[in-house]
Amino acid sequence: MPTPAPAPTPASAARPRTPLRSITVLYDPDCPLCAFVRDWLTRQRQLVPLVPVPAGSAEARRRFPELDHDTTLRDITCVGDGGQVYRGAAAWIVCLWALAAHRATAHRLATPAGAPLARAAVLAAAKYRAAHHPTGPARERADGWTYDRARGWSYVPERRAGGGRPAPG
């Protein structure tokens, strides 16, 4: 005879569990490392679908108007279909958790013993990204975004390709 499931505790009963059915991965389309990881993730067998969306894009802003989009351009960010937001090491772990071949690794990285390794991996990626990402005022996009190594990404909606501003009036 099967053993009955334990009764929920008051704390677990008050906290509804929303399963993840899809995860949006916000990535920097101008970062070679981010584009490589995006491509790698999409080639893997996924237990939970990963949907890549360029961070800071009109699509990202439409889907997640409440999100701090400047932060999504600095830190890896994933958003679950139930509104769960994961940043940094937690975002990387949830991406691995969604992959068939890497779910066990994600479980190990989510433990107190694995967390320092997950943080180190994200910090190493950030260091690589900073060394290989376009820098300086010459890195200006037509959509108003500009990257400065010291300050990160900034958005000036009036800016146009070539640095010109629209004529007043």
Side-chain angles (χ1 to χ4, degrees):
M1 182 167 179
T3 307
T9 64
S12 67
R15 185 181 50 197
R17 304 223 10 143
T18 305
L20 284 172
R21 291 186 182 93
S22 70
I23 301 166
T24 300
V25 180
L26 298 170
Y27 70 95
D28 182 350
D30 293 328
C31 169
L33 177 62
C34 300
F36 174 82
V37 171
R38 175 209 56 213
D39 292 345
W40 179 81
L41 287 170
T42 58
R43 287 190 310 266
Q44 305 302 306
R45 189 166 74 83
Q46 299 172 3
L47 299 173
V48 176
L50 296 172
V51 180
V53 171
S57 68
E59 176 68 11
R61 291 174 189 283
R62 184 190 63 74
R63 286 179 181 224
F64 312 111
E66 70 289 348
L67 213 56
D68 177 356
H69 292 278
D70 290 337
T71 300
T72 67
L73 285 163
R74 287 189 304 272
D75 297 327
I76 179 174
T77 305
C78 296
V79 183
D81 60 340
Q84 309 91 328
V85 177
Y86 305 92
R87 286 194 171 88
W92 181 238
I93 290 170
V94 81
C95 284
L96 291 175
W97 176 84
L99 303 177
H102 300 285
R103 185 164 276 189
T105 301
H107 283 287
R108 285 192 297 276
L109 292 174
T111 66
L117 181 58
R119 278 192 301 277
V122 169
L123 288 173
K127 186 173 182 177
Y128 177 90
R129 186 171 179 250
H132 294 87
H133 200 279
T135 60
R139 186 64 189 123
E140 189 174 287
R141 296 185 345 187
D143 62 359
W145 285 97
T146 303
Y147 184 78
D148 179 296
R149 182 177 229 160
R151 293 187 322 252
W153 284 99
S154 59
Y155 181 69
V156 180
E158 299 85 26
R159 188 159 294 163
R160 299 288 185 253
R165 297 192 183 264

